[in-house]
């Protein structure tokens, strides 16, 4: 089986995040209103309670170079890391474990990968919010914080 297909099949969460980020970013390139709505603005987060932007800002990128660099890094780290989390989780299950226990271990491995990505994105955004909460014009976007969490988890 082709290595790309193997990565896609064995890493459904990474595949979903990869394709979702690509689709959302490309849409935002073509729709400035969407891009503005999804950006994290720390001042608006604090004063207007725009909490959703902590997540949406990680789904869009400033330009093609930003998107390609993040997705290039994501490709080389995320798929392998998700597969590794599943492998480690399944190693904890005895060889004679029930099919349900093996399925649960697989799901738990995928969930751990997602949590690393999601928590890394949130932590990166909150450091930005704390630093720039009093600057109304500041805005940020991109998945660099989440992807940095994946790189650090791999290391």
């Amino acid at each position: 089986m082709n290595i790309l297909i193997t990565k896609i099949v064995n890493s459904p969460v990474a595949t979903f995040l990869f394709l979702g980020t690509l689709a959302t970013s490309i849409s935002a390139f073509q729709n400035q209103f969407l891009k503005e709505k999804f950006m994290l603005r720390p001042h608006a987060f604090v004063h207007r309670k725009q909490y959703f932007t902590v997540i949406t800002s990680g789904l869009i990128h400033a330009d093609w170079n930003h998107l390609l660099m993040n997705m290039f890094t994501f490709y080389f780290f995320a798929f392998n890391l998700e597969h590794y989390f599943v492998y480690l989780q399944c190693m904890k299950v005895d060889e004679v474990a029930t099919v349900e226990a093996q399925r649960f271990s697989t799901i738990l491995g995928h969930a751990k990968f997602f949590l690393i990505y999601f928590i890394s994105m949130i932590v990166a955004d909150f450091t930005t919010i704390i630093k720039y909460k009093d600057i109304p014009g500041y805005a940020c976007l991109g998945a660099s914080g989440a992807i940095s969490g994946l790189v650090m988890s791999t290391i």
Side-chain angles (χ1 to χ4, degrees):
M1 189 184 294
N2 183 331
I3 193 164
L4 178 61
I5 294 170
T6 303
K7 282 185 176 190
I8 289 170
V9 169
N10 291 332
S11 307
V13 176
T15 300
F16 176 77
L17 291 170
F18 186 82
L19 295 175
T21 302
L22 280 173
T24 308
S25 290
I26 292 168
S27 295
F29 293 159
Q30 298 170 1
N31 183 341
Q32 190 64 28
F33 175 76
L34 179 68
K35 187 175 186 178
E36 292 293 324
K37 183 173 176 73
F38 277 21
M39 274 199 267
L40 172 64
R41 298 180 188 281
H43 188 268
F45 178 90
V46 172
H47 299 288
R48 287 189 262 157
K49 305 193 184 330
Q50 292 183 345
Y51 301 134
F52 66 94
T53 60
V54 171
I55 295 171
T56 59
S57 65
L59 298 173
I60 58 173
H61 291 78
D63 54 35
W64 283 102
N65 287 335
H66 185 204
L67 176 64
L68 292 175
M69 284 306 296
N70 268 341
M71 293 299 97
F72 183 75
T73 306
F74 184 93
Y75 174 78
F76 282 108
F77 286 91
F79 291 96
N80 293 330
L81 186 62
E82 181 176 359
H83 180 71
Y84 185 66
F85 277 136
V86 171
Y87 171 77
L88 285 179
Q89 195 62 42
C90 289
M91 289 298 293
K92 294 179 182 179
V93 176
D94 188 55
E95 287 184 15
V96 293
T98 65
V99 173
E100 291 81 19
Q102 291 172 348
R103 283 189 186 139
F104 181 74
S105 291
T106 301
I107 291 168
L108 198 55
H110 293 300
K112 286 181 178 181
F113 168 80
F114 178 75
L115 283 174
I116 292 290
Y117 188 87
F118 187 73
I119 290 169
S120 298
M121 182 170 49
I122 301 289
V123 168
D125 282 349
F126 272 106
T127 58
T128 302
I129 291 165
I130 290 167
K131 185 172 182 178
Y132 296 103
K133 69 181 182 284
D134 297 322
I135 302 174
Y138 186 84
C140 63
L141 66 160
S144 299
I147 293 171
S148 295
L150 298 181
V151 172
M152 288 299 160
S153 293
T154 301
I155 291 170

